Amino acid sequence: NLTLIGFQCSHNDQLHESMSKQILHIYQDESGSLADPAGTVVIIALVTALDPWSLRFIVKKVYKKFLAKKGKKYKDRGRKEFKYVTALLPERKKVLSILKDKEVKIFALVIKKGKKKIDDSPLNYGVSLLEILNILFVYYQKQNLQFELILDKHYTKKEQLKELEAIIKIVLPIGVKPEHQDSRRSPFIALADFTAGALRDEFVKN
């Protein structure tokens, strides 16, 4: 059971006029796991921006702000990474409230899998990713844009990453070569993580 959603966090009436030959940066992450029988919903989220540098320090600044208030014990809460599932509710709200005021568009695929355990193979994951990427590139197809696609490093083995790329290349525009980055190293993937996590919480509640 798949649902596609998309929304724009902010808007600019001159945006389309200034988009000629610009690069649209696309950042992807997911929340939930196909292989987890306890999780009924998986979200794949894409955060897109023409000006990614305005997003670069959102997560880092929020973490440092709360760290300054609460001290070392806060830092040592057993968190190896500051991400949606390890963040406190006020931290989540702050990250998302800043993001909503930025010039970004968000696309998301909602997979309502029930309590099934689905093999988290490059084929199953790739077909889901292909679905949302196809919607995104169709949406932008009439705009004169170049694309940079940064995916969460979902797999660690090169063979699995190659298999994933072979699946999604069907919908990729000519010249687009996806990169795979970890949310611990990429502040942009970290924002996609917060986005996917928040959307999954909402769909699980409802």
Side-chain angles (χ1 to χ4, degrees), residues 24 30 43 64 67 79 92 97 99-100 113 118 126-127 148 151 158 163 169 188 195 197:
L24 184 75
E30 75 281 340
I43 301 287
K64 284 191 171 182
L67 179 62
R79 300 192 294 191
R92 295 173 178 178
S97 69
L99 180 62
K100 75 178 178 62
K113 68 181 189 66
I118 301 172
V127 168
E148 177 191 57
L151 305 175
K158 290 183 179 180
E163 186 178 347
K169 74 177 183 180
F188 309 113
T195 302

Side-chain angles (χ1 to χ4, degrees), residues 8-23:
Q8 184 169 312
C9 290
S10 186
H11 66 87
N12 185 335
D13 292 337
Q14 276 74 48
L15 187 60
H16 293 288
E17 297 177 9
S18 63
M19 289 176 77
S20 179
K21 297 182 181 179
Q22 287 187 288
I23 299 174

Side-chain angles (χ1 to χ4, degrees), residues 34-93:
L34 293 174
D36 181 10
T40 59
V41 176
V42 177
I43 301 287
I44 297 179
L46 305 174
V47 177
T48 72
L50 290 169
D51 177 22
W53 299 110
S54 66
L55 312 176
R56 188 178 183 185
F57 297 110
I58 294 176
V59 173
K60 185 175 182 179
K61 284 182 178 179
V62 170
Y63 177 64
K64 284 191 171 182
K65 178 181 178 181
F66 280 84
L67 179 62
K69 285 184 177 181
K70 303 196 175 185
K72 189 175 184 298
K73 287 184 178 180
Y74 172 82
K75 183 178 181 180
D76 297 335
R77 286 197 303 124
R79 300 192 294 191
K80 294 183 179 180
E81 179 183 0
F82 181 61
K83 57 191 302 183
Y84 187 83
V85 295
T86 63
L88 299 173
L89 183 59
E91 297 168 328
R92 295 173 178 178
K93 287 183 175 180

